[in-house]
Amino acid sequence: MTIDIAGLDPAHIVFETSPLAELGLALHALSEPGHHPGLHGWATATTTALEPDLADRLHEAEFLWRNSFSDVFMPFAGVRGGNGRAGADLADDLDILDRLDDERFVSAALEFTCAALYGTGAPSPLSDPGMRARALDMAAARGPRQSEFTQQLLADPASVRRWIRRLFEDCDQAFFADTWRRVRVQLVADARHKTDLLRRKGVGEAMGAVSTAVSLDATGGRISIDKLTEGSTAATDPAVGAGLTLVPTSFGRPHLMVLHAPGWRPVIHYPVHRPELPAPAPVELLQLRMEALAHPMRMRLCRNIARSPYTTGELADTHGISAPEVSRHLTVLKKAGLVTTRRRGRYVLHQLDLTLVARLGSDFLEGILR
């Protein structure tokens, strides 16, 4: 994923907190706790305390945020001529959402049911019969709730706007206002720190502090985000206001999301750094490690060197293969960072990095969910 920032004044790169964006991820965490094991306590306590009516409504609506994250939650990026600034509280953010024109609102809301259309720059289904039919077909394939929602959205966007706003306001009253007061302190502090870093040390340092998955290229004109999804956008579109907005989240890990819809201001929505958690491995390195372990002989070698250090000769004798063949397999494991070596006299000992291997499962999940 890339964002072109060539020629962009660094003053137009802003770090912002967004109550609505945080609510979106909080609702996702409630409906998909498996993505967020660190939030199980909060999710359980919050769900238990919900009034039955609101709990039922959230269950009926969870298809909206369980499997996707719509740009509906970041409307500040889609208001034409806007400044990329989010609201001070949820009511302000919802007012900004109300300012989106129907075409933009509908396109963003269709991400809930027709995510495959994202980033295509296709005509609006409100005015194009072919796109309307396609959106309805895709929603029908997702399920009856998605189909009903899409039909209502295309027939009467205003009613869907009112329904969504009322639901979010009820969530705010029931649990989110207290949650936001608690997490906002950390998010504001993070945004201030990154802003100060941007001003003192430049864009590259600020992006590196956002996440190890975010980097600035050598020319200083392109930001790359290490994700399995592909896409590109530019932060210099005058139609929506040149600039890039970065939004920290307490609920987002392991998700690192990039808003790159055509005609919208790009947004990087990143989880705040938690020093007690290791940084996720790059996707390319994760693939390299999994491929290194996939070979049957390397798996057998790992069985030995996981228990204690072995020399190349010992491994060759144990498995009945030549020392050069063992060396070739160990080289693959070393390139993937899975094996450490140390010298003992004239012998070189090889050992599996158990801590790193133990993280492969969590690294894999973070990589595909990022």
Side-chain angles (χ1 to χ4, degrees):
M1 189 79 69
T2 61
I3 302 174
D4 186 355
I5 61 167
L8 181 68
D9 185 340
H12 291 154
I13 299 176
V14 296
F15 288 85
E16 281 284 309
T17 60
S18 169
L20 182 55
E22 196 72 350
L23 173 59
L25 281 172
L27 291 171
H28 169 68
L30 288 177
S31 63
E32 193 63 88
H35 289 190
H36 308 273
L39 297 174
H40 280 177
W42 172 85
T44 300
T46 300
T47 301
T48 303
L50 290 176
E51 292 292 334
D53 175 66
L54 181 57
D56 288 343
R57 290 162 61 200
L58 289 178
H59 177 71
E60 289 290 322
E62 71 175 10
F63 71 89
L64 297 178
W65 43 75
R66 180 167 192 149
N67 301 317
S68 60
F69 189 85
S70 166
D71 294 342
V72 160
F73 290 111
M74 293 187 281
F76 57 84
V79 175
R80 299 181 190 276
N83 58 7
R85 311 309 291 259
D89 54 28
L90 185 64
D92 286 346
D93 265 352
L94 293 176
D95 287 343
I96 296 173
L97 179 59
D98 287 342
R99 290 169 54 196
L100 283 181
D101 59 58
D102 277 351
E103 286 196 353
R104 291 192 168 219
F105 174 80
V106 168
S107 295
L110 282 176
E111 294 166 38
F112 293 127
T113 57
C114 311
L117 296 178
Y118 189 85
T120 62
S124 170
L126 289 179
S127 56
D128 186 279
M131 291 306 301
R132 179 186 182 88
R134 185 181 178 194
L136 291 170
D137 285 344
M138 294 175 71
R142 289 286 186 93
R145 291 178 183 172
Q146 291 89 332
S147 180
E148 181 181 355
F149 172 83
T150 303
Q151 290 175 26
Q152 182 69 19
L153 178 66
L154 296 177
D156 187 6
S159 67
V160 176
R161 284 177 181 269
R162 291 192 297 270
W163 174 73
I164 286 179
R165 176 158 189 151
R166 175 65 184 275
L167 182 61
F168 290 167
E169 288 173 340
D170 289 347
C171 288
D172 192 45
Q173 183 176 355
F175 67 89
F176 185 70
D178 290 337
T179 298
W180 178 246
R181 278 193 290 270
R182 176 173 56 83
V183 303
R184 181 180 179 275
V185 176
Q186 180 191 27
L187 299 183
V188 168
D190 184 88
R192 285 176 177 168
H193 170 67
K194 300 292 194 304
T195 300
D196 182 60
L197 196 62
L198 174 67
R199 291 171 178 167
R200 289 187 299 105
K201 296 190 175 182
V203 178
E205 288 286 338
M207 294 304 107
V210 164
S211 169
T212 56
V214 181
S215 60
L216 183 69
D217 72 1
T219 69
R222 177 175 294 178
I223 295 172
S224 297
I225 302 93
D226 184 39
K227 289 173 64 71
L228 282 172
T229 54
E230 296 183 2
S232 62
T233 187
T236 53
D237 184 354
V240 73
L244 168 66
T245 305
L246 297 100
V247 179
T249 169
S250 289
F251 286 89
R253 187 183 175 101
H255 308 305
L256 173 64
M257 292 172 289
V258 181
L259 189 163
H260 61 284
W264 288 58
R265 182 188 181 103
V267 178
I268 299 176
H269 197 191
Y270 66 95
V272 292
H273 177 61
R274 293 173 59 184
E276 73 275 15
L277 296 175
V283 172
E284 185 177 342
L285 180 58
L286 175 62
Q287 181 178 346
L288 184 67
R289 288 172 175 170
M290 296 176 72
E291 290 174 348
L293 292 172
H295 193 283
M297 178 52 71
R298 290 196 282 272
M299 289 279 286
R300 292 170 63 188
L301 294 174
C302 286
R303 184 177 184 273
N304 294 101
I305 61 178
R307 289 169 166 77
S308 65
Y310 275 73
T311 66
T312 301
E314 288 174 324
L315 290 170
D317 291 341
T318 299
H319 294 281
I321 60 177
S322 67
E325 189 175 354
V326 170
S327 293
R328 285 195 294 271
H329 285 304
L330 289 175
T331 297
V332 173
L333 293 169
K334 288 175 188 175
K335 284 183 177 179
L338 297 170
V339 170
T340 60
T341 60
R342 62 184 175 89
R343 182 170 291 278
R344 188 180 65 194
R346 63 189 182 92
Y347 297 103
V348 175
L349 300 174
H350 311 280
Q351 189 161 25
L352 194 67
D353 188 331
L354 296 181
T355 301
L356 192 150
V357 174
R359 278 187 48 202
L360 279 176
S362 60
D363 281 348
F364 172 73
L365 283 176
E366 291 211 13
I368 62 175
L369 293 175
R370 187 186 305 157

